[in-house]
Amino acid sequence: MSRDLIIPLDGVSAPHDFGLDTHRDERTTDASPARRAWRLSLAEQPWPPLHDLLLGWPLPLAVLALWALAAHCEWIAPQVLPSPEAVALTFKESLLSGELWANLQISLVRVFAGFAVGLVGGLALGVALGLSPTARDYVYPLFKAFAQVPVLGWLPLLMLLVGIDEALKIILISKAALVPIALNTYKGIQNVPTRLIEVGRVLRFTRWQMLTRVVFPAALAPIWNGIRYGLTHAWLTLVVVELLASSEGLGFMIVYGRQLFQLDVVLAAVAVVGAVGYVLDKGLAAIETRLLGWRKEAF
Amino acid sequence: MKLTRARVFALAFFASTTLALAQAPSVIRIGVATGGVGAPPRTGSSTVGLVNGQGLLEKEFAKDNIKVEWIFFKGAGPAVNEALVNHQLDFAWQGDLPSIVHRAGGVKTHIIVGSGVRNGLYLGVPPDSSIAKIEDLKGKRVAVFKGTNLHLAAVRALAAHGLKEGDLKLINLDTAAAQAALTTKDIDAAFGYVELFLLRDKGVAKVVWSAAQDSYRFTRQTVLLVDDDFATRQPQIVQRVVDTVVKTARAYSDEAQRGELFAQWGKAEFPEKIWREDFISQPLRVRLSPLLDPFLVARYKDASDEAFRLKLTRSKPEIDSWFDRRFLNAALRAQGLEGYWPEYAADGNLAGGSVAAAR
Amino acid sequence: MRADIVPRPLRGFVIPALLVALWWAAVRFGWSTSPLLVAPGKVWQTGVDQVASGKVFAALGASLWRDLAGFAIGASAGLLFGALLGASRLAERFIGPSFHTLKQISLFAWIPLLSVWFGLGDAAKVAFLSLAAFFPVVLNTFEGIRSVPPDLLEVARVLRFTPAQRWRKVILPSAAPAIFAGIHLGLIYAWLATLGAEYLLVSGQGIGNLMIDGREHFWMDMVLFGVFVVGLVGFTLNWIASRIEARALAWRGRSVAQF
C-alpha cells in the first residue's frame, strides 16, 4: 500500500508522517499485540489467508465478464469498447513482434535516467537545506516558488528551450522526482525528534557520528517516502510527455492507437503502463521493508 | 378495435415519436478537421471553408430558426472521429484516411459532396538542410501528423520512392507543433501543407518536394460526410446543406473569381499569395469540384487498400456504397449544373464526354 | 559565524534577483541571438496587458471551474469509497485488490479512453480530473480510518456507542489528519491534471491552452507569464488547503506521531 505523504509546500506545517506508523502490509510481524487485537475487533470475522487471495478475484472477473458480454452484444460500439479478446490478441501480437518490448525499454530507460538525475539532485539539495541554515535562507524560498509550478506547467517553456527530444523528457522527469525527494529529505532531517539529538549530545557524538547514527536513520523513513513519491510522479510525467511529443515509447503507443482509432492498442499499452507502475512501486516497497525493518513500535 | 388504455398509449407514443422525428433540430453541428485560426475560427482551402467564412449556412437556416455550430478540431481527422463516434456531430469535413479509419471501425456515415480534392502535400526542411529529394530522408527524423490524410499520402510517397516506414523516424506532431519543431531544427523534415510556405517566407524552412508535381497519387482528398442517423431523420436539411456547398463551388469555380477566391481564403490561416502558389497551373474547376466521380471513388479505394496494407486499419471497408450521390445529383439538377464540372475516371484522366465542358 | 552581509529575511531574494539581473543583461548586451530570449520587461508588459484585457481571467476561470468541479466530484466519491474500504473488511477484500491495481495506471493513460468515451467538450476533462482527485483521497481516507487506535475503539465499545456515534466521535476525528492530507493531495493532483488535460484534450479555453498557443507562436513572454500564473494558482490552492486543514485540525495540537 502506498503511503501518499503530504508535501507541505508552505514550509510551515510538518508533514503528516506516516513513516512512523505501522506498516500496512499484511505480512508485517512487528505489529504490536494491541494492533493485532484491534484488527480482530474491527473485522467481522477473521478470514484465513487463502480466502484473502481468492476474495480479490470475483470483482475483476465479473467486470471482465461484463466487458466481454457488452462487446459481444454490441451494447457499446466496438470502436469505443473493443472486446477483451481483441485487446488480448493485440497485446500478444505486439509482444511477439517485439514492438511492445522495444517501446517499453525506451520508456524505462527514460524514466530511470530522469529519476536518477532527480534522485541525486533531490538528495543533495534536501541534505543541504536540512543541514545548513545559510543554504536554507538563500535557496529555500526560490525552491519553494519553483516547486509551486507543477511539472506540466514547465512543459511549453521547456519545449521552446530544448525542443522535443530526449532532453525535454529527462529534464521534466528529473524535476518531477527532485521536488518531492528534496522536500522530504529536508523535512525528514528537520523533524528528527529533539530527544534523539539530545541523546546524541549526551553521548558526546561528533558531528559525523551524529549524522550517521542519529539524523539519517531517523530521517530515512520520510526520505524513502519521498523517493517512492518521486518515482511515481516520474512515471506519471513520462507517460504524459510521451503522449505529447515522442516517436517511440509506451506513451507513443497510446497516442498512435488513439489517432488510428485502435482502442485495443490503447488498452494494451495502458495495461502495460499500469503493470510497470505497480512493479516499480512494489519494488520500492519491498526495499523499504528491508531498509526500515528494524523500526519498532517503540513508543 | 377496442380502444383500450394500452392501445391509446401505444398510439400516443407512436404519434409523438413520428412528430419528434419530423421535428427540425435546433442546431446543426458540423465538425471541421482542422484547427482554423481566429475567434470564431475560420479556415481556407476548400468550399466548406468558404461556406463557413461567409456564414452561408447560418443565412440559409436562419428562417427556420436553426443554429449552425461549427466545431474546429486541432486534432484534425482523428479528433473528429472521436466526436463522430459519440454522435456529437451531424456533418464532418474530413480527409480520406481518418474517414476510412472510422468506416473501418464501424461508424456509419455517408459521403455526400466533395470539398477539397487533389489537395497537395509538401515536404519542408530547414533552410540549410542537405535534403533535396524524398530519397534523402533515409534515417532522418521526419514529422507527419499521424492519422490524417497527410499521413497516408506521405507514406505512399515514401513507399513510391523506395522508403519503408522503418527506414526513417516518423514523429507524430500536429500542424503547429511540426512548424515549431522545424523552426528549432528538432526534426530534419516535415510533411505538411501550405503552412510550409509561410515558414519559407519567414526564412526558416525551404520546400523541396510537392505532391502535385510528382503524381496525383500522392494528393489528398477531403469530403463532407453526414452521420447516417441524421441523414435518415433530416434528409431535407442535408439536401439544403449540399445545395449551399454546390452553389458556392459554382460561384468560385469561375476563373474570373480566382482573385476573389484567394482573397476570401486569405482571411483565414494563410495570406492569399500562399493560395495562389498552391493553385499554380491548377484550374479552379478541378480543385473545387464537388463531384463524387470515379476518380474520387478510386482514390478512396486505393487509400483503403493502402491503409490496410500499412496496418493503419484492421479491415477493408466497402467503399462504393459509402458515396451517397442522391443529394448531390438533386442539387446539380436543380441548379442546372450537370456537366459543369469535369468528371474524371479512375486513372485520373478525363472521362469521355466531359472534355468539351472542361473549359 | 561569518559576518552576515545580507540580513536574514532578505536572503531569499538574493538568488532570484541575481538571476533576473543576469537575464536582463543577457538581453541588453545580446549574449544570445536566439529569438526566444525576451526581456524581463516584455514579460511584465505582456502580463499587464493580459490582466488589463481580462483575457487571462477568462482562461483561468475556465481552467479553475473544471478543476474545482472535477475535484469536488472526485473528492466526494473518494471519501465515500475510502470510508467503505476502511470500514468494511469485506469490501476491502473484494474491491481492494482491483482498486490498487487501477490506481497504478498512470493517470494520463486514461485520457485517450476518456476522450473516446466522452467525445468533445468538458465532460471528458471533468471526468479525468475527478479520477485525478479520487485516488489519493480514497487511499488516505482508507489509511486514516484503518489507523484509528484500537484503544479509542475499545472506549467506544465500553461506552456502548451506536455506529453513528462511533463514527462521529471516534473514527472521523481520529482519521481527520489523514483524510485532510488526502484531500490536499487530491487538490494538488487535480491541478496538475487540469493542465495535462488541456494539453491532451484540446478544445475550449484554459490557461494551459494559453501556454500551448504561446509556444506554437513562439511567444516566450506569453509562456513565461503562463508559468507564473500557474505557479501562483498552485500556491494559492495549496495555501487555502493548508489553512482549511489547520483550522479543521486545530483542536489536535501539533503532535505528529499518533502513538
Side-chain angles (χ1 to χ4, degrees):
Chain A
M1 222 147 305
S2 84
R3 206 139 314 145
D4 291 287
L5 194 74
I6 184 162
I7 309 299
L9 291 175
D10 58 1
V12 172
S13 54
H16 299 275
D17 195 345
F18 295 142
L20 294 173
D21 208 340
T22 333
H23 289 266
R24 289 297 306 145
D25 295 309
E26 297 81 50
R27 311 285 165 248
T28 185
T29 50
D30 52 12
S32 61
R35 291 242 148 208
R36 271 182 260 142
W38 157 64
R39 281 187 194 163
L40 286 178
S41 66
L42 190 58
E44 288 82 29
Q45 277 177 55
W47 292 86
L50 179 63
H51 278 227
D52 276 6
L53 216 61
L54 292 179
L55 276 180
W57 287 105
L59 185 66
L61 287 177
V63 169
L64 199 66
L66 199 66
W67 176 12
L69 199 64
H72 270 267
C73 301
E74 300 228 355
W75 293 337
I76 307 183
Q79 318 90 22
V80 174
L81 193 66
S83 66
E85 306 93 68
V87 177
L89 193 65
T90 309
F91 182 76
K92 193 176 71 144
E93 271 173 10
S94 61
L95 195 64
L96 290 177
S97 70
E99 181 194 346
L100 190 65
W101 174 240
N103 282 322
L104 180 60
Q105 221 175 358
I106 290 172
S107 293
L108 284 176
V109 164
R110 278 186 187 140
V111 83
F112 282 130
F115 179 69
V117 174
L119 181 67
V120 168
L123 284 177
L125 190 62
V127 167
L129 288 178
L131 294 179
S132 157
T134 336
R136 200 178 311 143
D137 286 337
Y138 279 103
V139 176
Y140 189 60
L142 182 65
F143 175 71
K144 234 187 350 161
F146 175 72
Q148 295 301 347
V149 183
V151 181
L152 288 182
W154 295 105
L155 185 81
L157 182 66
L158 280 178
M159 270 184 169
L160 277 180
L161 288 175
V162 297
I164 52 169
D165 213 347
E166 294 302 311
L168 173 74
K169 290 142 195 153
I170 303 289
I171 294 178
L172 279 175
I173 295 171
S174 42
K175 194 260 175 193
L178 188 147
V179 171
I181 294 178
L183 271 173
N184 276 34
T185 309
Y186 167 44
K187 292 294 177 183
I189 292 177
Q190 260 207 331
N191 288 331
V192 172
T194 12
R195 53 180 177 263
L196 295 179
I197 310 270
E198 275 169 19
V199 171
R201 243 182 244 138
V202 160
L203 294 175
R204 294 187 198 275
F205 278 168
T206 63
R207 188 163 173 79
W208 178 251
Q209 280 175 314
M210 187 73 91
L211 284 178
T212 50
R213 294 209 187 175
V214 179
V215 175
F216 281 117
L220 197 56
I223 292 180
W224 196 256
N225 261 318
I227 293 180
R228 273 179 86 168
Y229 195 62
L231 189 62
T232 315
H233 241 209
W235 185 238
L236 194 79
T237 310
L238 171 80
V239 173
V240 76
V241 176
E242 280 186 347
L243 286 176
L244 284 169
S246 194
S247 59
E248 65 273 299
L250 285 176
F252 170 72
M253 260 183 91
I254 295 179
V255 167
Y256 192 76
R258 179 187 179 184
Q259 299 287 84
L260 290 173
F261 233 59
Q262 289 170 1
L263 267 204
D264 45 347
V265 172
V266 173
L267 282 171
V270 166
V272 175
V273 166
V276 172
Y278 178 79
V279 166
L280 288 177
D281 198 46
K282 269 285 179 272
L284 283 188
I287 299 181
E288 181 174 4
T289 328
R290 200 58 64 82
L291 270 184
L292 301 177
W294 52 269
R295 300 185 72 92
K296 300 241 189 307
E297 286 278 303
F299 300 109
Chain B
M1 195 169 77
K2 229 164 44 132
L3 216 59
T4 63
R5 219 196 323 228
R7 294 213 174 98
V8 170
F9 278 135
L11 218 61
F13 176 72
F14 274 114
S16 62
T17 39
T18 3
L19 229 65
L21 283 177
Q23 220 171 15
S26 57
V27 65
I28 302 173
R29 303 160 302 176
I30 310 182
V32 182
T34 182
V37 78
R42 328 165 52 120
T43 180
S45 95
S46 67
T47 43
V48 168
L50 287 166
V51 169
N52 167 46
Q54 297 173 0
L56 297 176
L57 283 181
E58 284 81 346
K59 292 194 193 107
E60 163 76 22
F61 289 104
K63 44 179 152 17
D64 306 273
N65 245 327
I66 303 178
K67 281 208 306 185
V68 181
E69 196 184 327
W70 294 86
I71 307 165
F72 282 75
F73 290 86
K74 225 181 194 181
V80 170
N81 280 343
E82 282 170 2
L84 273 175
V85 135
N86 282 283
H87 294 289
Q88 288 169 319
L89 295 174
D90 304 311
F91 294 91
W93 178 81
Q94 199 185 35
D96 48 43
L97 179 63
S99 301
I100 290 168
V101 164
H102 84 230
R103 187 163 173 81
V107 179
K108 304 226 178 315
T109 53
H110 272 98
I111 298 179
I112 51 176
V113 70
S115 178
V117 295
R118 301 183 191 242
N119 274 346
L121 178 71
Y122 300 97
L123 182 67
V125 297
D128 50 359
S129 168
S130 59
I131 298 173
K133 46 191 193 320
I134 295 246
E135 287 83 351
D136 295 338
L137 289 177
K138 196 174 177 103
K140 299 278 197 268
R141 291 158 60 87
V142 182
V144 76
F145 199 167
K146 300 226 172 170
T148 63
N149 59 4
L150 284 160
H151 180 189
L152 188 61
V155 175
R156 265 201 207 111
L158 288 170
H161 288 261
L163 289 173
K164 292 199 299 319
E165 252 195 85
D167 288 334
L168 59 159
K169 237 177 168 198
L170 281 180
I171 304 186
N172 177 35
L173 290 173
D174 65 27
T175 320
Q179 291 179 61
L182 200 59
T183 315
T184 55
K185 307 220 180 109
D186 273 323
I187 46 177
D188 303 308
F191 279 104
Y193 192 36
V194 293
E195 72 274 2
L196 294 174
F197 292 158
L198 216 58
L199 290 181
R200 181 204 54 198
D201 293 341
K202 274 201 225 154
V204 293
K206 62 179 185 201
V207 177
V208 296
W209 176 83
S210 156
Q213 283 164 14
D214 199 333
S215 159
Y216 74 84
R217 282 187 300 118
F218 306 139
T219 58
R220 315 168 287 133
Q221 329 302 326
T222 319
V223 295
L224 188 67
L225 304 112
V226 68
D227 176 74
D228 273 2
D229 278 348
F230 187 79
T232 324
R233 279 184 291 121
Q234 310 285 353
Q236 315 87 344
I237 295 196
V238 180
Q239 184 63 61
R240 286 161 74 181
V241 169
V242 175
D243 289 341
T244 315
V245 174
V246 169
K247 206 178 334 162
T248 316
R250 167 65 185 91
Y252 287 96
S253 291
D254 192 346
E255 285 299 329
Q257 289 292 319
R258 207 170 173 102
E260 178 58 26
L261 172 66
F262 298 146
Q264 285 292 327
W265 282 349
K267 291 191 197 152
E269 308 102 318
F270 308 110
E272 54 175 301
K273 65 181 175 88
I274 301 263
W275 293 115
R276 244 178 279 140
E277 188 172 346
D278 183 45
F279 271 64
I280 284 178
S281 73
Q282 297 186 49
L284 293 180
R285 240 189 256 205
V286 173
R287 288 288 294 272
L288 264 63
S289 166
L291 295 184
L292 304 175
D293 56 15
F295 172 72
L296 197 62
V297 179
R299 299 314 309 127
Y300 269 81
K301 281 196 179 142
D302 197 34
S304 164
D305 287 341
E306 199 95 28
F308 180 72
R309 216 169 36 83
L310 295 165
K311 299 218 176 64
L312 299 173
T313 49
R314 268 28 169 322
S315 62
K316 276 203 280 206
E318 200 273 322
I319 298 289
D320 283 311
S321 61
W322 196 8
F323 290 83
D324 186 346
R325 293 186 182 78
R326 293 176 294 153
F327 304 103
L328 178 64
N329 289 342
L332 291 174
R333 222 175 309 126
Q335 298 179 38
L337 292 172
E338 285 153 313
Y340 177 73
W341 282 286
E343 277 226 5
Y344 284 89
D347 58 4
N349 296 318
L350 283 171
S354 314
V355 176
R359 183 100 12 237
Chain C
M1 207 165 298
R2 279 177 283 139
D4 290 328
I5 312 165
V6 183
R8 235 120 187 239
L10 293 180
R11 284 189 189 171
F13 293 102
V14 170
I15 299 188
L18 279 174
L19 287 173
V20 172
L22 215 67
W23 176 11
W24 176 84
V27 174
R28 176 80 174 69
F29 301 118
W31 292 344
S32 162
T33 50
S34 165
L36 291 175
L37 197 63
V38 299
K42 180 103 179 32
V43 179
W44 175 257
Q45 189 57 41
T46 307
V48 168
D49 287 339
Q50 283 285 321
V51 171
S53 70
K55 280 197 218 121
V56 70
F57 293 118
L60 201 55
S63 292
L64 277 176
W65 175 84
R66 279 191 295 262
D67 183 24
L68 293 173
F71 170 72
I73 298 175
S76 13
L79 282 172
L80 288 171
F81 197 70
L84 175 69
L85 281 190
S88 161
R89 194 149 269 270
L90 201 65
E92 189 207 347
R93 288 265 154 36
F94 268 113
I95 308 179
S98 315
F99 173 76
H100 288 296
T101 318
L102 271 183
K103 153 197 100 158
Q104 297 300 348
I105 299 177
S106 183
L107 201 59
F108 292 99
W110 290 101
I111 288 205
L113 296 171
L114 290 175
S115 96
V116 174
W117 290 341
F118 289 94
L120 60 95
D122 280 343
K125 288 195 192 137
V126 172
F128 178 64
L129 295 178
S130 318
L131 265 182
F134 180 71
F135 287 109
V137 171
V138 170
L139 280 171
N140 281 42
T141 308
F142 169 71
E143 179 121 11
I145 292 177
R146 275 305 158 88
S147 305
V148 173
D151 304 350
L152 296 182
L153 287 168
E154 277 283 331
V155 173
R157 207 162 352 145
V158 162
L159 294 177
R160 296 189 193 278
F161 276 174
T162 65
Q165 280 176 317
R166 196 171 68 217
W167 272 91
R168 231 173 10 96
K169 296 197 187 228
V170 178
I171 297 182
L172 284 181
S174 171
I179 294 182
F180 275 101
I183 294 182
H184 193 149
L185 260 178
L187 202 61
I188 296 177
Y189 265 7
W191 181 235
L192 186 76
T194 307
L195 287 177
E198 286 177 20
Y199 297 155
L200 291 165
L201 296 167
V202 187
S203 63
Q205 273 204 319
I207 197 83
N209 287 131
L210 205 72
M211 289 204 283
I212 290 278
D213 264 348
R215 186 222 149 205
E216 282 168 3
H217 291 102
F218 292 104
W219 296 329
M220 185 63 132
D221 45 333
M222 181 73 92
V223 175
L224 281 171
F225 175 64
V227 169
F228 171 73
V229 171
V230 167
L232 195 65
V233 173
F235 174 78
T236 314
L237 285 176
N238 243 314
W239 185 82
I240 294 179
S242 299
R243 281 279 149 270
I244 296 180
E245 207 170 340
R247 185 69 65 84
L249 300 179
W251 54 271
R252 296 186 66 93
R254 301 267 295 165
S255 64
V256 173
Q258 300 311 315
F259 261 109

